[in-house]
Amino acid sequence: MSSAPSAERTPRSAKGNEMKYRKIKTELLQIASAYQRALRVSMVNQIVKCFEQDAFGVLVVGERADGSFWCVDGQTRLKAAVKLGIDEVPCLVFESRGKEHEATLFRLLNTQTNQSKTQKTKAQLCEGDPNTAEMIAIVERCGFKIAFNGEKSWPSIRSITPVEQAYERGLLTRVLGIIMKAWGETRDTHALQSPMLGGLTRLVAQHGEVISDTELVSRLKKYRVSQLVAQCEARKMQSGNRGDAMKDVLVQVWNHSRRNRIKDSEPIAGSV
């Protein structure tokens, strides 16, 4: 396994605290699900199958005031080590001030990796970021939840970016309220995906003053979201953006059989 870093290159944590190299028994290392990504068993099995001791690297571990050790970076390798029966693993240990501190370091360590937007949001929530906490609270008040662990069923939302965009515009409660009233009974998970969330946010942002939510919900109930998504994909060829394309589709839903129409885009063949 990797040797201890030299004194001249001793790594430091997010706040500049010196990280110290040491080996720690695997049975003492804990994992905080509050900020960690969901464990991928397939990756654990792959490490076990192709295990190379020299490539194991070091885990980044926080030692809390109570003496407990928390694996901040390297949980997949840790699980593989346990499965292989390895008693001790090399670690870089920093003085942890608690899970919020660890969550910050987790996010920073994973900034340059393929960490998903959902994983970053989960870490920010654990850090105590007030805007993230407020956004999640709104989502939950509206009867939904963020799919931090990869849930795919209603009412889990997997697309974080459009949720953030709606929140930043002050429209999240209204957008999620429309979705719940339109498709809550049918539990149509397509409504919780990026095209509808983004398109509805754009519609409300641009035309919210003239649109009645009650009437819009009544009109949306007549459609399966998959129908609207299909039209969105056709329009995407013109706009190049699913959010804008879905907004155009929703404008047509609103305009159908109305005298006072929103003049926003031209209908396409087969549109509502």
Side-chain angles (χ1 to χ4, degrees):
M1 295 187 184
S2 301
S3 59
S6 67
E8 293 180 352
R9 296 185 179 181
T10 302
R12 296 180 180 275
S13 69
K15 294 296 184 181
N17 297 325
E18 187 176 288
M19 288 187 174
K20 297 181 179 179
Y21 177 89
R22 60 187 291 190
K23 286 189 175 182
I24 300 177
K25 290 186 177 296
T26 54
E27 64 184 23
L28 298 178
L29 292 167
Q30 303 182 61
I31 293 173
S33 60
Y35 56 80
Q36 287 283 357
R37 68 190 74 189
L39 183 69
R40 294 177 60 182
V41 177
S42 61
M43 292 185 66
V44 174
N45 294 335
Q46 183 65 23
I47 293 174
V48 171
K49 181 180 178 180
C50 306
F51 182 74
E52 288 288 347
Q53 187 175 21
D54 292 335
F56 186 84
V58 294
L59 310 184
V60 176
V61 173
E63 182 177 9
R64 297 184 184 177
D66 62 2
S68 60
F69 296 103
W70 295 83
C71 180
V72 174
D73 186 62
Q75 69 157 338
T76 305
R77 285 173 288 147
L78 172 60
K79 290 295 185 181
V82 171
K83 197 167 184 178
L84 286 164
I86 298 174
D87 293 330
E88 291 184 330
V89 289
C91 304
L92 288 175
V93 184
F94 65 95
E95 293 182 6
S96 170
R97 297 189 297 277
K99 68 177 182 179
E100 294 83 3
H101 179 203
E102 295 160 11
T104 298
L105 191 55
F106 168 81
R107 177 172 57 81
L108 294 174
L109 285 168
N110 287 277
T111 296
Q112 302 301 323
T113 69
N114 61 347
Q115 184 185 28
S116 71
K117 186 68 174 176
T118 301
Q119 291 162 351
K120 291 178 182 177
T121 301
K122 182 178 181 181
Q124 288 172 327
L125 179 64
C126 187
E127 287 177 51
D129 179 73
N131 290 330
T132 301
E134 183 181 40
M135 181 182 73
I136 300 303
I138 292 173
V139 169
E140 294 178 350
R141 283 200 302 269
C142 290
F144 299 99
K145 64 179 182 179
I146 300 298
F148 286 130
N149 296 313
E151 301 91 340
K152 297 181 180 180
S153 59
W154 183 281
S156 300
I157 300 175
R158 295 166 61 88
S159 302
I160 291 289
T161 298
V163 171
E164 287 185 336
Q165 292 171 345
Y167 170 73
E168 290 168 358
R169 293 179 173 184
L171 302 173
L172 186 56
T173 297
R174 187 175 179 185
V175 167
L176 293 182
I178 291 171
I179 288 176
M180 179 61 80
K181 291 174 183 176
W183 296 293
E185 292 183 3
T186 60
R187 302 172 70 84
D188 192 334
T189 55
H190 290 92
L192 304 182
Q193 295 176 3
S194 184
M196 181 55 69
L197 288 166
L200 192 53
T201 296
R202 287 167 171 78
L203 177 73
V204 174
Q206 294 180 31
H207 307 292
E209 293 183 0
V210 299
I211 287 177
S212 161
D213 291 5
T214 300
E215 184 176 349
L216 178 60
V217 167
S218 179
R219 289 169 174 264
L220 291 175
K221 279 186 173 182
K222 299 175 182 178
Y223 299 89
R224 294 191 304 275
V225 182
S226 59
Q227 293 176 284
L228 302 178
V229 171
Q231 293 187 42
C232 167
E233 291 300 317
R235 282 186 176 271
K236 180 176 174 289
M237 300 297 292
Q238 300 174 12
S239 68
N241 180 285
R242 281 191 176 86
D244 289 334
M246 181 59 80
K247 185 261 297 180
D248 291 344
V249 171
L250 295 175
V251 166
Q252 296 308 313
V253 170
W254 175 259
N255 282 343
H256 185 61
S257 299
R258 290 181 61 87
R259 290 184 178 180
N260 298 322
R261 298 186 171 198
I262 296 173
K263 294 181 180 180
D264 193 83
S265 58
E266 294 298 323
I268 61 175
S271 64
V272 178

